Amino acid sequence: MRSPVTGIVALLGLLLVLIVAYMSLFTVQQTEQTIVLQFGKPVDVVTDPGLHFKAPWNSVINIDKRILDLENPSQEVIASDQKRLVVDAFARYRIKDALRFYQSVGSIQAANLQLTSLLNAALRRVLGEVNFITVVRDEREKLMGRIREQLDHEADGYGIEVVDVRIRRADLPEQNSQAVYQRMQTERQREAAEFRAQGGQKAQEIRSKADREATVIIAEANSTAEQTRGVGDAERNRLFAEAYGKDADFFAFYRSMTAYENGLKASDTRFLLRPDSNFFRYFGNPSGKTATETPAKP
C-alpha cells in the first residue's frame, strides 16, 4: 500500500503543475494586443487573438487596439485677424505600435494627456494662420485635415495613429458674440428703417401720381359734362324756339305752368305781387289774356 506521504506529494506535484500551466497561458481578445514582460522588460508583442503561452515568470499587459476618443476641452485661439475664437474639437485615434506606445507613454490616460497638449498646439498653429471667416465658414474641412496631419505626425513617435480630427464648434467668446449680435441687430434696424423710408417715399409718389391722375380725370369729365350740358341746353333752346315759333300761346302757357310748379310749393305759397300781375293771368282767364287784351263784345 502507498503511504499517505506519497499521496500528498503527488497531490502537491499535480497542484504545482496546474499552477505552472495557469501561469504559462494567457488569452488575447480580438479588441486587444498584448505585451509580454520579463522582469519588467518587454520581450514580445502578441496581436493575434486566442490562447498563447509564456514563461511562468513573465507578465502581460493588454492594450486596446480599437479606435479611441479624445475629447478636448474648449479653448481660446487667436486667428490671424486677431479675433479670439472659442474652439471645441475632438479627435479619434488608435494604437498602431503597442511596444512603442508602452515605452513612450505607458497608458491610455497618459496618452490622452499628451495628445490633448499636441492637439491644442496644432489648433493654435493652423487656426492662427487664417482669419475668422475662413475658420467658421469657408475652409473648415480643409483646416481640420491640416490639423489631423500635424497631430498624426507628432503622435507617430508614441505609436499612435490619428484617424480623424473634428472641430465641433468655432465661435466668438460670449462677450464678443453679444457685441456682434448687437451690432447685427443695429444694422438690421437701420436697414429696416431705410426700407421703410424708401417705401414711404414710394407710397407718397404713388399717391401723388394717383391724385394728379384723378384730378386730370375729374377735370376732363367735368369738361365733357359741361360740353354735353351745353349741347343739351342748346338743343333745348332750339326746341323751345321752334315750339315758340309754331304756337306762341301754348309756349307761354307751358312756361307759366312750369313757373307755378316751381313757385307754388306745399311749404310756402306766399307771394308779394299785385293780383293783376302777369304771373297770375291764367288764374283769371284760361286763355291767359288780360282785360285790355280781351276784345270788346258788340
Side-chain angles (χ1 to χ4, degrees), residues 92-138:
R92 300 287 183 266
Y93 71 95
R94 67 180 183 88
I95 301 169
K96 64 178 182 179
D97 190 335
L99 181 58
R100 187 184 301 176
F101 175 83
Y102 175 75
Q103 292 174 337
S104 58
V105 292
S107 66
I108 291 179
Q109 291 77 11
N112 285 341
L113 291 175
Q114 187 64 32
L115 287 176
T116 298
S117 177
L118 296 176
L119 177 58
N120 291 338
L123 285 170
R124 288 190 173 90
R125 282 195 303 269
V126 174
L127 301 185
E129 297 174 356
V130 296
N131 57 34
F132 171 75
I133 298 299
T134 303
V135 176
V136 300
R137 187 184 66 186
D138 295 343

Side-chain angles (χ1 to χ4, degrees), residues 24-250:
S24 300
L25 295 175
F26 67 95
T27 303
V28 178
Q29 301 294 333
Q30 291 182 344
T31 60
E32 297 176 339
Q33 47 192 333
T34 301
I35 299 176
V36 181
L37 302 176
Q38 182 174 328
F39 307 117
K41 294 183 179 180
V43 294
D44 192 15
V45 177
V46 181
T47 58
D48 297 329
L51 188 63
H52 298 271
F53 293 92
K54 65 179 181 62
W57 53 85
N58 290 349
S59 60
V60 297
I61 294 178
N62 297 321
I63 297 176
D64 203 326
K65 65 178 181 181
R66 295 173 296 183
I67 294 178
L68 304 175
D69 296 334
L70 176 65
E71 292 293 336
N72 190 45
S74 299
Q75 61 170 329
E76 282 196 4
V77 177
I78 300 178
S80 62
D81 53 2
Q82 301 304 311
K83 289 186 178 179
R84 294 181 177 272
L85 298 173
V86 176
V87 180
D88 182 9
F90 66 91
R92 300 287 183 266
Y93 71 95
R94 67 180 183 88
I95 301 169
K96 64 178 182 179
D97 190 335
L99 181 58
R100 187 184 301 176
F101 175 83
Y102 175 75
Q103 292 174 337
S104 58
V105 292
S107 66
I108 291 179
Q109 291 77 11
N112 285 341
L113 291 175
Q114 187 64 32
L115 287 176
T116 298
S117 177
L118 296 176
L119 177 58
N120 291 338
L123 285 170
R124 288 190 173 90
R125 282 195 303 269
V126 174
L127 301 185
E129 297 174 356
V130 296
N131 57 34
F132 171 75
I133 298 299
T134 303
V135 176
V136 300
R137 187 184 66 186
D138 295 343
E139 300 180 3
R140 178 178 292 193
E141 190 72 25
K142 185 177 179 181
L143 295 175
M144 290 188 296
R146 290 177 55 191
I147 295 171
R148 190 202 67 80
E149 291 176 0
Q150 293 190 18
L151 183 60
D152 181 61
H153 176 73
E154 295 176 347
D156 184 68
Y158 302 103
I160 295 174
E161 178 187 3
V162 179
V163 178
D164 193 17
V165 172
R166 292 287 164 179
I167 297 176
R168 185 182 291 112
R169 183 177 69 93
D171 203 352
L172 294 171
E174 183 64 24
Q175 60 273 19
N176 293 17
S177 297
Q178 292 299 327
V180 171
Y181 296 152
Q182 185 65 32
R183 186 165 63 251
M184 292 172 62
Q185 182 180 8
T186 303
E187 182 66 19
R188 298 293 87 79
Q189 290 175 348
R190 185 192 63 79
E191 291 180 356
E194 183 177 352
F195 289 150
R196 282 194 293 268
Q198 293 177 354
Q201 180 181 359
K202 191 68 176 178
Q204 185 61 37
E205 292 177 356
I206 293 174
R207 282 194 294 267
S208 299
K209 182 178 180 181
D211 292 342
R212 184 169 60 253
E213 291 178 352
T215 301
V216 172
I217 292 172
I218 293 173
E220 292 177 351
N222 289 334
S223 175
T224 302
E226 292 296 333
Q227 292 177 3
T228 304
R229 191 177 295 110
V231 172
D233 291 342
E235 181 66 15
R236 182 192 63 181
N237 295 334
R238 186 188 66 78
L239 293 175
F240 282 166
E242 183 178 351
Y244 182 79
K246 291 182 178 180
D247 192 343
D249 292 337
F250 175 77

Side-chain angles (χ1 to χ4, degrees), residues 279-293:
F279 182 76
F280 296 110
R281 61 180 177 170
Y282 285 99
F283 280 78
N285 188 348
S287 65
K289 295 182 179 180
T290 62
T292 58
E293 297 176 341

Side-chain angles (χ1 to χ4, degrees), residues 223-278:
S223 175
T224 302
E226 292 296 333
Q227 292 177 3
T228 304
R229 191 177 295 110
V231 172
D233 291 342
E235 181 66 15
R236 182 192 63 181
N237 295 334
R238 186 188 66 78
L239 293 175
F240 282 166
E242 183 178 351
Y244 182 79
K246 291 182 178 180
D247 192 343
D249 292 337
F250 175 77
F251 185 75
F253 174 77
Y254 174 77
R255 290 184 61 185
S256 295
M257 292 300 103
T258 303
Y260 295 158
E261 181 180 4
N262 294 330
L264 300 177
K265 300 293 185 181
S267 59
D268 189 6
T269 58
R270 291 176 296 177
F271 289 90
L272 297 177
L273 298 174
R274 293 175 56 184
D276 57 350
S277 172
N278 191 44

